[in-house]
Amino acid sequence: MPSRGCSCWLLSLALLCSLAAAKEQYHEFVIRETTVKRLCKSHNIMTVNGQFPGPTLEINEGDSLIINLINRGRYNMTLHWHGVRQMRTGWSDGPEYVTQCPVRPGQSYRYRFTVAAQEGTLWWHAHSSWLRATVYGALLIRPRDGTSYPFDVQPTRELAPILLGEWWDMNPVDVVRAATRTGAAPNISDALTVNAQPGDLYSCSSHDTAVFPVTSGETNLLRFINAALNTELFVSLAGHNMTVVAADASYTKPYTTSLLLLAPGQTTDVLVTFDQPPGRYYLAARAYASAQGVPFDNTTTTAIFDYGAANNASSAAIAMPTLPAYNDTTAATAFTTNLRGLRKAELPSRVDESLFFTVGVGLFNCTNATAQQCGGPNGTRFAASINNVSFVLPSSTSILQAHHHGAPGGVFTADFPANPPVQFDYTAQNVSRALWQPVAGTKVYKLKYGSAVQVVLQGTNIFAGENHPIHLHGYDFYILAEGLGNFDAGADTAKFNMEDPPMRNTVGVPVNGWAVIRFVADNPGVWLMHCHLDVHITWGLAMAFLVDDGVGELQSLEAPPPDLPLC
């Protein structure tokens, strides 16, 4: 048996080897206009380095990234590294006016962060206005060199990441500006896309349909990302089952299914064995639209998985998968509730902060003086809220800067409610009109460093019940349970999965239902929580947690970088 001193020496050597294995990557992301043609028309869109989708970043766990954003476009810009924990590096998280002021045209900013203790698929996207309609890309985090995936079957190879998106036949910034000006709902997208291509079922599109060559008998790793702004998506691959092995860069117990559900912001890694007769098979995606009577993009996007058989002419029939009905909540629930964490959850035995957040869409009433800006139902403006607070972004500085400099006055208040101000039948068919109007404000909820936080996310049926994909910046969280109707602590707490709940960064709160999440506030800073349907965050369905510093440097927010953009 080695001596204790030898054990310490070996541990130190292992630590040094681990640190040595980590690398630093530097990339320049130049924002500029690029001309692309979709649906028979040419458009100038905002891109990174002229690419649409943007560059794929490939790293190993433990690596650091420096991304120099150079804005040569005509809009303010920030970038968010969706799902990256940003431990102590909140200045690089990216949401405009939350952690930084925007990078203005002609300016630049370096995002600096390390990706530690996370493996799988994440992504990056613009976090200003609706620019993420075209400014987005994949972030692939592989295990460290010499480490394999925790799968029983190792993939023969990985295919290119599959980024699902939306396309507007007009400038998406103009779409949201028009809606903001009038208070009406914005135009829905004109197409759904796979890797920025609508696919065979649209006009002028089949020539550029995304094609994935595959080899008979191989098991491949496929990485799905839903980069769409406002559409949750059912996804299926004709003739093939998919085994889910990770979601939001957290490994899961293998779950075999023919159908995936991805909300905007979510990622899913699957293994597929290509064991069907050689041919060409469609991957297809279309909306899961849970809100009754609300317009949505009801088109279907496709890509082709091609076995490349010699006798497989390009004109041969392509197998098409069967997708659920647009409003099939049963199918959506079956997918989300079958996900389990790969390992036993590291859940705290206590709950220090027990929060209850109602989420939903409402309406702002209008006066005669503002009637011209009220294009919503019956002369109102659309609004959305959490606990009846409709979030308003600051305009003079970011929340994190105001907090760091100890000057919150006029920027935010730390009085976000832990519970809804009025309790009611949240999912009733006819919610009283007296509850439809939220209060506008920039409010945060303060958390002590290290506190164990549980949040019940309760959907409401105020204007229209809908599945809300809620994303929390700076944290992963365990999803303990979800259900339909109103959350009942007495009955529903017994349903909590405390053994192997899935860990995610974006949770779909079921239409007219609830979900319960839990996390430990071990990352100081200001962290936005919002609906990842961009129309809803535009209307105010957001709030922010302010997590205080702990004890010592390693539990404290880093100092702001010298090139942090000025407002």
Side-chain angles (χ1 to χ4, degrees):
M1 178 179 292
S3 68
R4 182 176 179 183
C6 184
S7 296
C8 292
W9 179 83
L10 290 173
L11 183 62
S12 299
L13 180 63
L15 179 60
L16 287 172
C17 290
S18 176
L19 292 173
K23 307 176 189 69
E24 183 178 89
Q25 290 190 21
Y26 173 85
H27 299 271
E28 284 196 351
F29 275 22
V30 181
I31 304 296
R32 64 172 183 255
E33 287 195 18
T34 302
T35 302
V36 302
K37 187 174 184 179
R38 298 291 187 276
L39 307 183
C40 316
K41 298 177 184 177
S42 293
H43 295 270
N44 289 333
I45 64 170
M46 303 310 298
T47 65
V48 168
N49 300 345
Q51 299 177 40
F52 178 46
T56 294
L57 298 174
E58 301 183 53
I59 64 173
N60 293 99
E61 186 275 324
D63 287 353
S64 297
L65 283 166
I66 300 175
I67 310 293
N68 187 20
L69 170 61
I70 302 170
N71 189 358
R72 293 182 182 153
R74 54 192 170 110
Y75 301 110
N76 292 343
M77 177 67 67
T78 66
L79 293 178
H80 170 53
W81 315 93
H82 185 111
V84 174
R85 288 288 320 266
Q86 298 288 358
M87 298 298 293
R88 303 178 55 234
T89 54
W91 306 107
S92 288
D93 191 45
E96 186 178 54
Y97 293 114
V98 177
T99 60
Q100 67 167 98
C101 295
V103 181
R104 301 188 183 281
Q107 296 181 348
S108 65
Y109 176 52
R110 292 192 177 197
Y111 292 91
R112 308 163 178 87
F113 55 92
T114 298
V115 181
Q118 293 181 281
E119 294 178 11
T121 304
L122 295 175
W123 64 301
W124 57 266
H125 60 80
H127 216 297
S128 300
S129 184
W130 277 19
L131 290 167
R132 80 173 180 90
T134 58
V135 179
Y136 61 85
L139 172 56
L140 313 184
I141 312 160
R142 296 190 175 88
R144 296 197 182 209
D145 292 341
T147 306
S148 62
Y149 295 111
F151 315 147
D152 290 337
V153 177
Q154 294 295 303
T156 309
R157 59 192 173 103
E158 296 183 22
L159 300 187
I162 301 168
L163 294 104
L164 309 167
E166 283 176 287
W167 174 261
W168 275 261
D169 234 350
M170 63 182 295
N171 184 345
V173 174
D174 292 340
V175 172
V176 68
R177 283 180 175 175
T180 302
R181 185 171 58 251
T182 64
N187 292 347
I188 61 172
S189 53
D190 295 287
L192 305 173
T193 60
V194 177
N195 290 356
Q197 297 294 343
D200 283 351
L201 305 185
Y202 299 85
S203 299
C204 308
S205 187
S206 61
H207 178 72
D208 295 314
T209 294
V211 177
F212 298 88
V214 298
T215 302
S216 291
E218 283 190 354
T219 296
N220 293 170
L221 177 63
L222 280 60
R223 301 172 182 267
F224 289 89
I225 300 167
N226 187 351
L229 264 69
N230 296 314
T231 305
E232 301 187 72
L233 293 167
F234 287 125
V235 184
S236 187
L237 175 57
H240 297 77
N241 282 326
M242 297 174 279
T243 300
V244 178
V245 291
D248 291 0
S250 292
Y251 292 119
T252 65
K253 288 183 170 65
Y255 164 50
T256 300
T257 176
S258 62
L259 180 72
L260 308 178
L261 173 69
L262 286 94
Q266 292 183 328
T267 72
T268 304
D269 295 357
V270 304
L271 295 175
V272 177
T273 300
F274 291 98
D275 55 2
Q276 295 303 298
R280 303 168 82 219
Y281 297 82
Y282 271 131
L283 175 86
R286 75 177 184 194
Y288 166 49
S290 56
Q292 294 184 10
V294 175
F296 65 96
D297 185 338
N298 64 359
T299 61
T300 301
T301 183
T302 56
I304 297 171
F305 281 71
D306 188 354
Y307 279 69
N311 61 351
N312 179 30
S314 60
S315 60
I318 307 176
M320 187 75 177
T322 300
L323 290 164
Y326 298 110
N327 61 350
D328 193 341
T329 294
T330 300
T333 301
F335 178 79
T336 57
T337 56
N338 270 295
L339 296 179
R340 295 285 186 271
L342 180 61
R343 300 180 179 89
K344 182 176 174 60
E346 298 178 0
L347 283 164
S349 58
R350 68 189 193 284
V351 173
D352 302 310
E353 296 276 359
S354 185
L355 309 176
F356 191 101
F357 288 178
T358 54
V359 297
V361 175
L363 302 169
F364 280 135
N365 293 330
C366 293
T367 64
N368 291 334
T370 60
Q372 296 300 315
Q373 292 94 33
C374 295
N378 301 315
T380 61
R381 295 179 61 86
F382 276 105
S385 65
I386 301 179
N387 277 358
N388 207 48
V389 178
S390 188
F391 189 74
V392 178
L393 287 171
S395 58
S396 60
T397 188
S398 74
I399 298 174
L400 184 58
Q401 288 169 280
H403 163 62
H404 179 75
H405 295 299
V411 179
F412 70 90
T413 57
D415 57 349
F416 188 87
N419 295 280
V422 178
Q423 295 185 4
F424 59 98
D425 186 351
Y426 307 113
T427 57
Q429 290 301 307
N430 295 295
V431 176
S432 169
R433 287 296 183 102
L435 298 167
W436 282 40
Q437 180 148 324
V439 176
T442 307
K443 299 176 182 291
V444 305
Y445 190 89
K446 292 192 69 172
L447 295 171
K448 291 183 179 179
Y449 183 92
S451 57
V453 185
Q454 179 171 294
V455 187
V456 176
L457 295 163
Q458 174 68 60
T460 63
N461 197 32
I462 290 177
F463 175 74
E466 188 167 358
N467 188 298
H468 294 281
I470 302 297
H471 171 49
L472 175 58
H473 290 226
Y475 287 90
D476 290 322
F477 48 73
Y478 290 108
I479 304 175
L480 301 186
E482 65 175 75
L484 300 178
N486 297 329
F487 177 76
D488 181 340
D492 292 329
T493 301
K495 303 173 185 176
F496 287 3
N497 176 7
M498 306 296 286
E499 181 67 23
D500 57 357
M503 179 179 280
R504 305 203 70 162
N505 60 57
T506 305
V507 57
V509 179
V511 54
N512 287 327
W514 51 269
V516 180
I517 65 172
R518 192 179 293 185
F519 63 95
V520 175
D522 58 358
N523 194 9
V526 174
W527 306 106
L528 190 65
M529 174 183 270
H530 65 93
C531 183
H532 223 279
L533 301 176
D534 269 30
V535 61
H536 289 175
I537 190 174
T538 300
W539 292 339
L541 209 166
M543 57 81 64
F545 287 109
L546 193 165
V547 181
D548 287 329
D549 286 344
V551 178
E553 180 182 1
L554 295 181
Q555 294 183 1
S556 301
L557 178 71
E558 291 183 356
D563 61 339
L564 190 70
L566 300 174
C567 282

